[in-house]
């Protein structure tokens, strides 16, 4: 890619390009040179925004956690107070996660302690958010916890197995999961929203 003379490339562009590179080439190819080449900028641009590679990785992981975990949780909570409808919102948001990039982050975490810590934090936050949604609809807390663990495991497993990710298959899996959850829902928790939302 030719150099972008006079074009400003900010942190958001670096993060988006890094996620694309992770998805397409894996963590082994995510380097300063590769990143700058993909953006069409010099390494000076990189160092203008980040204090070295470790600073970039830390910022990238914080961005990923904010955009793909904190934002998703906030959207779910702000969209509706109905726990069954919240589950439906989560289902649709889950399809749009950057699954190929997240699979690469999981591979990266196997050899990088900082990435592993960030990944564990993301997984823990997502599991807690899903369990919180389910606890509002499923009267048995132990069942809600198991269903949350099952849902999280299904999503992580999908990311590990399907390359490239198949959104249609994931929607079908999440629809099946949704139906499983509805079997355990308190009939008074969701009223008329307890239906097949496909």
């Amino acid at each position: 890619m030719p150099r972008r003379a006079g074009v400003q490339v900010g942190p958001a562009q670096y993060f988006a390009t890094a996620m694309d590179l992770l998805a397409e080439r894996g963590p082994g190819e995510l380097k300063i040179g590769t990143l700058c080449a993909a953006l069409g900028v010099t390494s000076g641009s990189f160092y203008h925004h980040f204090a070295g590679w470790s600073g970039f990785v830390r910022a990238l992981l914080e961005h990923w956690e904010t955009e793909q975990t904190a934002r998703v949780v906030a959207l779910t909570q702000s969209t509706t107070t109905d726990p069954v409808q919240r589950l439906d919102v989560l289902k649709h948001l889950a399809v749009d996660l950057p699954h190929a990039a997240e699979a690469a982050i999981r591979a990266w975490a196997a050899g990088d302690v900082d990435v592993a810590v960030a990944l564990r934090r993301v997984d823990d936050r997502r599991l807690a958010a899903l369990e919180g949604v389910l606890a509002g609809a499923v009267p048995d807390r132990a069942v809600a916890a198991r269903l949350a663990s099952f849902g999280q495991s299904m999503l992580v497993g999908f990311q590990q197995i399907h390359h490239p990710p198949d959104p249609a298959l994931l929607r079908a899996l999440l629809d099946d999961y949704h139906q499983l959850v509805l079997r355990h829902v308190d009939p008074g928790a969701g009223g008329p929203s307890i239906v097949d939302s496909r």
Side-chain angles (χ1 to χ4, degrees):
M1 176 180 286
R3 301 295 183 201
R4 298 181 178 183
V7 175
Q8 294 297 317
V9 174
Q13 286 87 0
Y14 276 97
F15 299 147
T17 301
M19 293 297 279
D20 289 342
L21 286 170
L22 283 168
E24 295 166 7
R25 304 185 196 178
E29 291 298 314
L30 183 59
K31 304 170 184 175
I32 294 174
T34 311
L35 187 57
C36 290
L39 282 164
V41 298
T42 66
S43 59
S45 168
F46 177 89
Y47 287 106
H48 174 73
H49 294 291
F50 307 103
W53 182 248
S54 61
F56 169 74
V57 170
R58 186 166 50 253
L60 172 65
L61 294 170
E62 288 172 358
H63 174 79
W64 170 56
E65 182 173 358
T66 298
E67 286 298 304
Q68 304 302 335
T69 300
R71 185 183 65 85
V72 167
V73 171
L75 279 172
T76 304
Q77 293 174 342
S78 65
T79 303
T80 178
T81 58
D82 182 327
V84 177
Q85 290 179 355
R86 280 184 175 175
L87 181 62
D88 195 49
V89 171
L90 269 180
K91 180 175 69 171
H92 293 293
L93 291 172
V95 173
D96 293 330
L97 291 173
H99 296 290
E102 291 197 0
I105 289 170
R106 292 185 183 282
W108 190 6
D112 188 304
V113 173
D114 292 334
V115 178
V117 169
L119 176 61
R120 171 51 58 193
R121 189 167 57 244
V122 166
D123 280 343
D124 288 347
R125 289 185 70 182
R126 287 180 178 176
L127 181 61
L130 180 55
E131 186 172 343
V133 169
L134 291 171
V138 176
D140 188 323
R141 291 300 296 264
V143 172
R146 286 201 306 273
L147 287 170
S149 182
F150 179 33
Q152 177 94 335
S153 300
M154 182 184 68
L155 187 66
V156 172
F158 172 84
Q159 291 179 340
Q160 298 302 302
I161 294 171
H162 298 284
H163 304 283
D166 180 351
L169 174 60
L170 180 57
R171 286 189 194 94
L173 291 170
L174 290 170
D175 282 340
D176 290 341
Y177 174 70
H178 196 184
Q179 291 304 308
L180 173 64
V181 169
L182 292 181
R183 295 178 191 171
H184 299 277
V185 166
D186 178 350
S193 65
I194 304 179
V195 295
D196 185 346
S197 60
R198 281 178 284 186

